[in-house]
Every structure is written in structure tokens, then in C-alpha cells.
Amino acid sequence: MLGVGLIRGINVGGNARVAKADLAAAFVSAGFADVVTILQSGNVVFRSEAAPTAEDAAAVTAALKQSSGVEAGVVLLEERRFRELAAANPLLGVSDDDSRLVVTFLDHDLPADVVAPTDDELEPERVRLGEHAVYQWSPLGVSKSTVPPAFWRRVGQVATARNQRTVLRLIAEVDRRL
């Protein structure tokens, strides 16, 4: 089975540097095969015998810490699940720039008390909640986002964002390997 691995916060702005070879080695160490890294920011496509588990994510985290000293959250998804979350994005029709349309993938259910800020609060941004994902349209750019940090703290720790351009790149790699 094919899977997608998303590592939070590595190789972004010069912080938490992890070489692509070390990232791939962490996945191999955790028992995955045919590992390919995509871009430089913690995107991996891999094969496994079974659906990836929380224990597998913990094994990747431990291997990364051991090899590079970087401790990072890891979200592992079956390729089918990754596609479902990407396709469920309710903001696809709103966006006109894939670099500013973002999916934040979660390794957990959203807490019941998490409520998305309203469109009026965020204008011109939009945030929508999904199942194991938060969808965000940031027409002014993610760095100028007006989504309150308190919202993201309520979302939870193991959450990692990818813009639509990267999501499509990962889907293309999965398609290539089917």
C-alpha cells in the first residue's frame, strides 16, 4: 500500500534542517519501503505492508531525532485518505492561487470545542473545518494570515500544513507509483 508522510516544521526558513537522505532513512528505519522525498519541506511517499499507525509515526519521529537531533510531529496517511482529504477541500472553488490555498492535515480528530473563525473576522481569508483537516484560503499570503494563534493551539500539536501546489505534487507522485 502507498502512503504519504508529512513532517511538521522541518527545512522551513532555515530551521530544523533535515537532509532528504536522513528523512528517507528515518522512514526506512521505521519499516517503510520504496521511500521518496518530495521537495525539501518534509514530504514523503512510501510503501508499507499495512496502514500506517500512530506507532509508525512515533518510530519516524524517534529515528529523525536520533539521526538529526530534530524532533518533529509526523502525520502518516494512506494514499487513499490523503486524496480524500485533498478532494474534500471546500475552498477549491474560491482559490485562484494554489500557493495560497492550504490544507492543514491532522493526526487526530478536531477537538469538539474548535470553531473556525468567521469570514467576517478574517476578511479576506477563509477557514473551513474538515474531518482531520483544516482548510484555509489566504489571498494575501500565509505569512499575512489573520487567523488567531489561539485557534491553531486549540487545533492540536500534530498538525502540518501544505499548500495546494504541494498537495497536487504529492498526488502526482502517488499516481506515478501506482
Side-chain angles (χ1 to χ4, degrees), residues 149-162:
F151 168 78
W152 293 112
R153 283 192 296 274
R154 286 192 308 274
V155 165
Q157 284 293 321
V158 185
T160 186
R162 298 296 185 273

PDB file of all heavy atoms in Angstrom, residues 149-162:
ATOM      1  N   PRO A 149      -3.586  32.913  16.580  1.00  0.00           N
ATOM      2  CA  PRO A 149      -2.772  31.792  17.066  1.00  0.00           C
ATOM      3  C   PRO A 149      -3.535  30.886  18.044  1.00  0.00           C
ATOM      4  O   PRO A 149      -3.308  29.684  18.085  1.00  0.00           O
ATOM      5  CB  PRO A 149      -1.585  32.469  17.747  1.00  0.00           C
ATOM      6  CG  PRO A 149      -1.477  33.800  17.072  1.00  0.00           C
ATOM      7  CD  PRO A 149      -2.898  34.200  16.744  1.00  0.00           C
ATOM      8  N   ALA A 150      -4.450  31.459  18.815  1.00  0.00           N
ATOM      9  CA  ALA A 150      -5.231  30.655  19.771  1.00  0.00           C
ATOM     10  C   ALA A 150      -6.047  29.588  19.048  1.00  0.00           C
ATOM     11  O   ALA A 150      -6.246  28.493  19.577  1.00  0.00           O
ATOM     12  CB  ALA A 150      -6.146  31.546  20.596  1.00  0.00           C
ATOM     13  N   PHE A 151      -6.526  29.898  17.850  1.00  0.00           N
ATOM     14  CA  PHE A 151      -7.257  28.895  17.071  1.00  0.00           C
ATOM     15  C   PHE A 151      -6.352  27.703  16.797  1.00  0.00           C
ATOM     16  O   PHE A 151      -6.746  26.549  17.010  1.00  0.00           O
ATOM     17  CB  PHE A 151      -7.765  29.499  15.752  1.00  0.00           C
ATOM     18  CG  PHE A 151      -8.266  28.457  14.784  1.00  0.00           C
ATOM     19  CD1 PHE A 151      -9.521  27.890  14.945  1.00  0.00           C
ATOM     20  CD2 PHE A 151      -7.474  28.034  13.722  1.00  0.00           C
ATOM     21  CE1 PHE A 151      -9.981  26.919  14.058  1.00  0.00           C
ATOM     22  CE2 PHE A 151      -7.921  27.073  12.833  1.00  0.00           C
ATOM     23  CZ  PHE A 151      -9.178  26.512  13.003  1.00  0.00           C
ATOM     24  N   TRP A 152      -5.133  27.955  16.329  1.00  0.00           N
ATOM     25  CA  TRP A 152      -4.219  26.859  15.989  1.00  0.00           C
ATOM     26  C   TRP A 152      -3.812  26.067  17.224  1.00  0.00           C
ATOM     27  O   TRP A 152      -3.636  24.855  17.157  1.00  0.00           O
ATOM     28  CB  TRP A 152      -3.005  27.384  15.236  1.00  0.00           C
ATOM     29  CG  TRP A 152      -3.380  27.918  13.890  1.00  0.00           C
ATOM     30  CD1 TRP A 152      -3.341  29.212  13.468  1.00  0.00           C
ATOM     31  CD2 TRP A 152      -3.913  27.162  12.790  1.00  0.00           C
ATOM     32  NE1 TRP A 152      -3.804  29.306  12.183  1.00  0.00           N
ATOM     33  CE2 TRP A 152      -4.165  28.077  11.744  1.00  0.00           C
ATOM     34  CE3 TRP A 152      -4.213  25.808  12.589  1.00  0.00           C
ATOM     35  CZ2 TRP A 152      -4.681  27.669  10.514  1.00  0.00           C
ATOM     36  CZ3 TRP A 152      -4.726  25.419  11.365  1.00  0.00           C
ATOM     37  CH2 TRP A 152      -4.957  26.334  10.347  1.00  0.00           C
ATOM     38  N   ARG A 153      -3.681  26.729  18.368  1.00  0.00           N
ATOM     39  CA  ARG A 153      -3.356  25.994  19.601  1.00  0.00           C
ATOM     40  C   ARG A 153      -4.472  25.020  19.947  1.00  0.00           C
ATOM     41  O   ARG A 153      -4.212  23.914  20.415  1.00  0.00           O
ATOM     42  CB  ARG A 153      -3.102  26.962  20.757  1.00  0.00           C
ATOM     43  CG  ARG A 153      -1.734  27.620  20.692  1.00  0.00           C
ATOM     44  CD  ARG A 153      -1.381  28.354  21.974  1.00  0.00           C
ATOM     45  NE  ARG A 153      -2.265  29.476  22.264  1.00  0.00           N
ATOM     46  CZ  ARG A 153      -2.115  30.707  21.788  1.00  0.00           C
ATOM     47  NH1 ARG A 153      -1.107  30.983  20.981  1.00  0.00           N
ATOM     48  NH2 ARG A 153      -2.957  31.650  22.122  1.00  0.00           N
ATOM     49  N   ARG A 154      -5.729  25.407  19.734  1.00  0.00           N
ATOM     50  CA  ARG A 154      -6.853  24.507  20.010  1.00  0.00           C
ATOM     51  C   ARG A 154      -6.911  23.342  19.023  1.00  0.00           C
ATOM     52  O   ARG A 154      -7.398  22.264  19.362  1.00  0.00           O
ATOM     53  CB  ARG A 154      -8.171  25.278  20.016  1.00  0.00           C
ATOM     54  CG  ARG A 154      -8.353  26.144  21.251  1.00  0.00           C
ATOM     55  CD  ARG A 154      -9.763  26.683  21.394  1.00  0.00           C
ATOM     56  NE  ARG A 154     -10.283  27.353  20.224  1.00  0.00           N
ATOM     57  CZ  ARG A 154     -10.102  28.634  19.913  1.00  0.00           C
ATOM     58  NH1 ARG A 154      -9.397  29.404  20.709  1.00  0.00           N
ATOM     59  NH2 ARG A 154     -10.636  29.150  18.824  1.00  0.00           N
ATOM     60  N   VAL A 155      -6.428  23.570  17.810  1.00  0.00           N
ATOM     61  CA  VAL A 155      -6.444  22.501  16.794  1.00  0.00           C
ATOM     62  C   VAL A 155      -5.614  21.314  17.266  1.00  0.00           C
ATOM     63  O   VAL A 155      -5.992  20.173  17.064  1.00  0.00           O
ATOM     64  CB  VAL A 155      -5.953  23.041  15.430  1.00  0.00           C
ATOM     65  CG1 VAL A 155      -5.608  21.914  14.476  1.00  0.00           C
ATOM     66  CG2 VAL A 155      -7.024  23.938  14.819  1.00  0.00           C
ATOM     67  N   GLY A 156      -4.461  21.573  17.891  1.00  0.00           N
ATOM     68  CA  GLY A 156      -3.642  20.481  18.412  1.00  0.00           C
ATOM     69  C   GLY A 156      -2.239  20.486  17.852  1.00  0.00           C
ATOM     70  O   GLY A 156      -1.939  21.145  16.857  1.00  0.00           O
ATOM     71  N   GLN A 157      -1.388  19.721  18.493  1.00  0.00           N
ATOM     72  CA  GLN A 157       0.041  19.721  18.205  1.00  0.00           C
ATOM     73  C   GLN A 157       0.420  19.078  16.875  1.00  0.00           C
ATOM     74  O   GLN A 157       1.230  19.617  16.145  1.00  0.00           O
ATOM     75  CB  GLN A 157       0.804  19.019  19.339  1.00  0.00           C
ATOM     76  CG  GLN A 157       0.941  19.858  20.560  1.00  0.00           C
ATOM     77  CD  GLN A 157       1.839  21.053  20.323  1.00  0.00           C
ATOM     78  OE1 GLN A 157       2.838  20.967  19.654  1.00  0.00           O
ATOM     79  NE2 GLN A 157       1.449  22.190  20.868  1.00  0.00           N
ATOM     80  N   VAL A 158      -0.090  17.894  16.615  1.00  0.00           N
ATOM     81  CA  VAL A 158       0.374  17.202  15.407  1.00  0.00           C
ATOM     82  C   VAL A 158      -0.548  17.569  14.257  1.00  0.00           C
ATOM     83  O   VAL A 158      -1.525  16.891  13.938  1.00  0.00           O
ATOM     84  CB  VAL A 158       0.496  15.679  15.614  1.00  0.00           C
ATOM     85  CG1 VAL A 158       1.107  15.038  14.379  1.00  0.00           C
ATOM     86  CG2 VAL A 158       1.360  15.381  16.831  1.00  0.00           C
ATOM     87  N   ALA A 159      -0.201  18.711  13.674  1.00  0.00           N
ATOM     88  CA  ALA A 159      -0.910  19.269  12.536  1.00  0.00           C
ATOM     89  C   ALA A 159       0.146  19.896  11.645  1.00  0.00           C
ATOM     90  O   ALA A 159       1.056  20.565  12.137  1.00  0.00           O
ATOM     91  CB  ALA A 159      -1.910  20.322  12.998  1.00  0.00           C
ATOM     92  N   THR A 160       0.054  19.682  10.351  1.00  0.00           N
ATOM     93  CA  THR A 160       1.059  20.235   9.452  1.00  0.00           C
ATOM     94  C   THR A 160       0.403  20.675   8.153  1.00  0.00           C
ATOM     95  O   THR A 160      -0.421  19.960   7.593  1.00  0.00           O
ATOM     96  CB  THR A 160       2.221  19.236   9.222  1.00  0.00           C
ATOM     97  OG1 THR A 160       3.232  19.867   8.447  1.00  0.00           O
ATOM     98  CG2 THR A 160       1.758  17.949   8.589  1.00  0.00           C
ATOM     99  N   ALA A 161       0.755  21.870   7.719  1.00  0.00           N
ATOM    100  CA  ALA A 161       0.095  22.499   6.573  1.00  0.00           C
ATOM    101  C   ALA A 161       0.893  22.296   5.288  1.00  0.00           C
ATOM    102  O   ALA A 161       2.118  22.312   5.302  1.00  0.00           O
ATOM    103  CB  ALA A 161      -0.080  23.986   6.842  1.00  0.00           C
ATOM    104  N   ARG A 162       0.142  22.138   4.200  1.00  0.00           N
ATOM    105  CA  ARG A 162       0.721  22.075   2.858  1.00  0.00           C
ATOM    106  C   ARG A 162      -0.140  22.907   1.930  1.00  0.00           C
ATOM    107  O   ARG A 162      -1.378  22.828   1.979  1.00  0.00           O
ATOM    108  CB  ARG A 162       0.776  20.632   2.320  1.00  0.00           C
ATOM    109  CG  ARG A 162       1.632  19.684   3.139  1.00  0.00           C
ATOM    110  CD  ARG A 162       3.108  20.106   3.113  1.00  0.00           C
ATOM    111  NE  ARG A 162       3.979  19.167   3.790  1.00  0.00           N
ATOM    112  CZ  ARG A 162       4.259  19.179   5.086  1.00  0.00           C
ATOM    113  NH1 ARG A 162       3.697  20.067   5.887  1.00  0.00           N
ATOM    114  NH2 ARG A 162       5.092  18.303   5.608  1.00  0.00           N
TER     115      ARG A 162
END
